[in-house]
């Protein structure tokens, strides 16, 4: 029977069917960070349990690390305590930790792929919602909570309900100035923030086939914002080329063998899906969120809705979002004045993102009323960007250039909005308070759009700039 990648990986990792109907699934890779692990390790310690598969467990620090002054102890005692707890737990259990000072430190969903830890056909778990990122490699990658982090540490397994699989085909070519971020914002806008509940999203079609791994990661990263538990792309030559030579990828003959097995894990032609959606890539435009969830988005040349434009059941949420955002019903999103521009996060802080944003700001200046910062997704990205002189391009334009971490994506470190500031952000969530200020406002968009907004001081359509500057 032709089968989906989801079914193949799920079946291969099934340990047993549990009496409650759930599946006990073996986890091939467990990525750990400082925020969701301290209590999990405490629970292990209280029971006198060891970590079951140390060789499948890797840790880094990302959420709480300052991106400017990284000296210890941190000014924030809570951040320092989380950092110290992770260091102690990793030491006690002999878990590799890519901590501050390591050239491998960075956002957990950036370093896993970079190091070649993330591979096709795997099951991957991490105590962070955006673990779905790793699905770009053809893995089932699950964001889990603290008690499940404990379960994986103790047993290397998780108890899970199976998922339906929806194939989302995106066919055709993206226009200049339209990026993977616009594709996933468009998907979430169409299907809704709860549209994927109970599903795995399989992304397919010629647009996905043409994408780089960085772009596929951006797409899979935000699957969770559309309600899907996981998102994935079938592995192909682009995947294999990305992995070859990475520190934890198989080498020499083992790589050839792995490649054959990885290819066999892709969904078979003729596999059946619980649902299918088709999207025309050429119709997607640069997309910007106007509300307080990632599905409340419009194309940059559209107007925000008014409550009267939507079905009865959505009116209240539209009213609430417009009021919080301070946007007039029916106003054009272009021209919305911004206070802060943030290029960072596990969605869009890889080298290709920074290159594209740098093309937009080269030779330009950030508007005086805008605070702009670039936070590379990993120290490896930072070094590579500096080797190309991208840091200087951003600095010359008036951006702050920082060390790697989550930063203003969720503001568990000193990088945060103040008061009612509006932030053009390349991150993935625009919930109330997400960027540190309870009244701060977030407009999600691609890194190139953030760069353009920083220069203009307001939301602008990046397409004419891209055409003029020759960015992608
Ligand atoms: S960058 Fe944001 S979404 Fe990604 S891991 Fe960090 S906090 Fe989570």
């Amino acid at each position: 029977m032709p089968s989906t990648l989801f079914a193949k990986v799920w079946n291969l990792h099934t340990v047993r069917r549990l009496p409650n109907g759930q599946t006990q699934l073996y986890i091939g890779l467990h990525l750990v960070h400082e925020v969701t692990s301290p209590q999990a390790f405490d629970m292990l310690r209280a029971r006198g349990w060891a970590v079951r598969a140390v060789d499948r467990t890797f840790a880094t620090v990302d959420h709480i690390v300052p991106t400017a002054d990284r000296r210890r102890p941190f000014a924030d005692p809570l951040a320092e305590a989380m950092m110290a707890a992770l260091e102690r737990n990793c030491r006690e259990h002999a878990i590799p930790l890519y901590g501050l000072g390591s050239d491998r430190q960075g956002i957990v969903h950036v370093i896993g792929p970079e190091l070649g830890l993330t591979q096709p056909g795997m099951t991957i778990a991490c105590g962070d919602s955006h673990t779905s990122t790793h699905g770009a490699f053809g893995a089932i990658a699950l964001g889990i909570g603290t008690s499940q982090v404990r379960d994986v540490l103790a047993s290397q397994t998780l108890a899970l309900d199976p998922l339906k699989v929806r194939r989302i085909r995106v066919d055709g070519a993206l226009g200049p100035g339209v990026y993977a971020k616009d594709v996933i914002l468009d998907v979430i806008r169409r299907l809704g923030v709860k549209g994927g509940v109970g599903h795995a999203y399989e992304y397919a079609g010629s647009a996905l086939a043409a994408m780089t791994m960085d772009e596929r990661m951006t797409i899979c990263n935000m699957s969770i914002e559309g309600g899907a538990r996981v998102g994935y792309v079938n592995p192909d030559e682009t995947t294999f080329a990305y992995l070859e030579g990475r520190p934890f990828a198989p080498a020499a003959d083992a790589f050839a063998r792995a490649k054959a097995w990885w290819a066999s894990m892709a969904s078979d032609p003729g596999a059946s899906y619980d649902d299918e959606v088709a999207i025309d890539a050429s119709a997607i435009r640069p997309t910007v969120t106007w509300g307080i969830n990632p599905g409340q988005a419009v194309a940059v040349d559209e107007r925000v809705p008014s409550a009267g434009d939507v079905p009865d059941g959505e009116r209240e949420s539209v009213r609430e979002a417009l009021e919080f955002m301070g946007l007039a019903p029916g106003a054009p999103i272009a021209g919305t004045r911004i206070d802060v521009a943030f290029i960072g996060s596990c969605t869009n802080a890889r080298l290709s993102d920074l290159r594209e944003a740098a093309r937009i700001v080269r030779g330009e200046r950030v508007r005086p009323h805008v605070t702009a910062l670039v936070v590379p997704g990993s120290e490896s990205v930072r070094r590579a960007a500096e080797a190309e002189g991208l840091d200087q391009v951003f600095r010359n334009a008036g951006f702050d250039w920082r060390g790697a971490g989550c930063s203003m994506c969720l503001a568990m470190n000193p990088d945060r909005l103040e008061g009612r500031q509006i932030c053009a952000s390349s991150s993935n969530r625009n919930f109330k308070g997400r960027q540190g200020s309870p009244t701060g406002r977030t407009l999600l968009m691609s890194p190139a759009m953030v760069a353009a907004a920083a220069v203009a001081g307001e939301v602008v359509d990046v397409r004419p700039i891209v055409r003029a500057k020759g960015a992608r």
Side-chain angles (χ1 to χ4, degrees), residues 62-142:
D62 49 12
H63 287 61
I64 54 91
V65 291
T67 57
D69 181 356
R70 291 156 84 92
R71 282 172 300 182
R72 303 280 300 278
F74 300 143
D76 176 356
L78 188 60
E80 180 59 32
M82 282 193 219
M83 180 79 198
L86 184 65
E87 288 169 334
R88 180 170 69 114
N89 289 325
C90 288
R91 220 175 21 248
E92 264 179 31
H93 294 280
I95 294 168
L97 167 62
Y98 304 129
L100 275 195
S102 164
D103 60 5
R104 293 180 170 181
Q105 181 262 332
I107 305 175
V108 65
H109 311 312
V110 177
I111 69 157
E114 258 175 18
L115 293 171
L117 289 166
T118 302
Q119 295 172 17
M122 268 188 166
T123 49
I124 299 174
C126 173
D128 184 272
S129 314
H130 295 86
T131 307
S132 55
T133 311
H134 305 260
F137 291 78
I140 296 182
L142 299 141

Side-chain angles (χ1 to χ4, degrees), residues 62-63 107-109 128 130 221 345-346 406 409-410 428 434:
D62 49 12
H63 287 61
I107 305 175
V108 65
H109 311 312
D128 184 272
H130 295 86
N221 173 277
S345 89
C346 58
C406 296
C409 173
L410 93 166
N428 46 49
R434 171 72 177 182

Side-chain angles (χ1 to χ4, degrees), residues 290-427:
W290 55 266
I292 50 176
N293 71 52
Q296 291 179 321
V298 287
V300 67
D301 51 7
E302 285 182 310
R303 293 171 178 271
V304 306
S306 60
D309 299 336
V310 299
D312 282 356
E314 293 171 30
R315 283 194 183 142
E316 195 40 51
S317 64
V318 167
R319 271 193 211 102
E320 181 195 355
L322 288 172
E323 189 183 330
F324 181 82
M325 296 300 289
L327 294 171
I333 192 72
T336 305
R337 184 182 157 102
I338 66 157
D339 306 296
V340 177
F342 170 61
I343 297 175
S345 89
C346 58
T347 314
N348 276 131
R350 297 181 177 82
L351 186 58
S352 55
D353 297 315
L354 305 193
R355 280 184 185 144
E356 198 65 13
R359 280 194 195 113
I360 304 292
V361 304
R362 189 182 292 275
E364 310 285 352
R365 285 292 299 171
V366 169
R367 278 295 164 106
H369 71 269
V370 175
T371 301
L373 69 161
V374 181
V375 183
S378 69
E379 283 298 288
S380 163
V381 169
R382 182 185 62 74
R383 283 193 309 278
E386 289 177 0
E388 294 182 13
L390 301 185
D391 58 324
Q392 216 42 59
V393 172
F394 284 114
R395 284 194 172 110
N396 290 347
F399 279 81
D400 272 3
W401 176 257
R402 301 289 182 81
C406 296
S407 179
M408 207 181 267
C409 173
L410 93 166
M412 281 186 82
N413 76 346
D415 307 336
R416 43 188 50 232
L417 296 184
E418 288 169 18
R420 295 263 295 151
Q421 281 184 324
I422 297 189
C423 180
S425 179
S426 71
S427 57

Side-chain angles (χ1 to χ4, degrees), residues 207-221:
L208 266 292
M211 281 185 184
T212 64
M213 291 312 298
D214 285 5
E215 292 172 309
R216 295 177 188 181
M217 283 189 259
T218 298
I219 303 259
C220 290
N221 173 277

Side-chain angles (χ1 to χ4, degrees), residues 129 132 141 143 163-164 166 168 188 192-203 220-232:
S129 314
S132 55
L163 299 169
K164 295 179 178 172
R166 172 178 292 143
I168 301 176
I188 299 168
V193 290
K194 293 185 182 157
V197 171
H199 284 80
Y201 278 176
E202 175 179 310
Y203 301 100
C220 290
N221 173 277
M222 289 191 71
S223 304
I224 191 79
E225 303 306 333
R229 190 79 205 302
V230 302
Y232 67 86

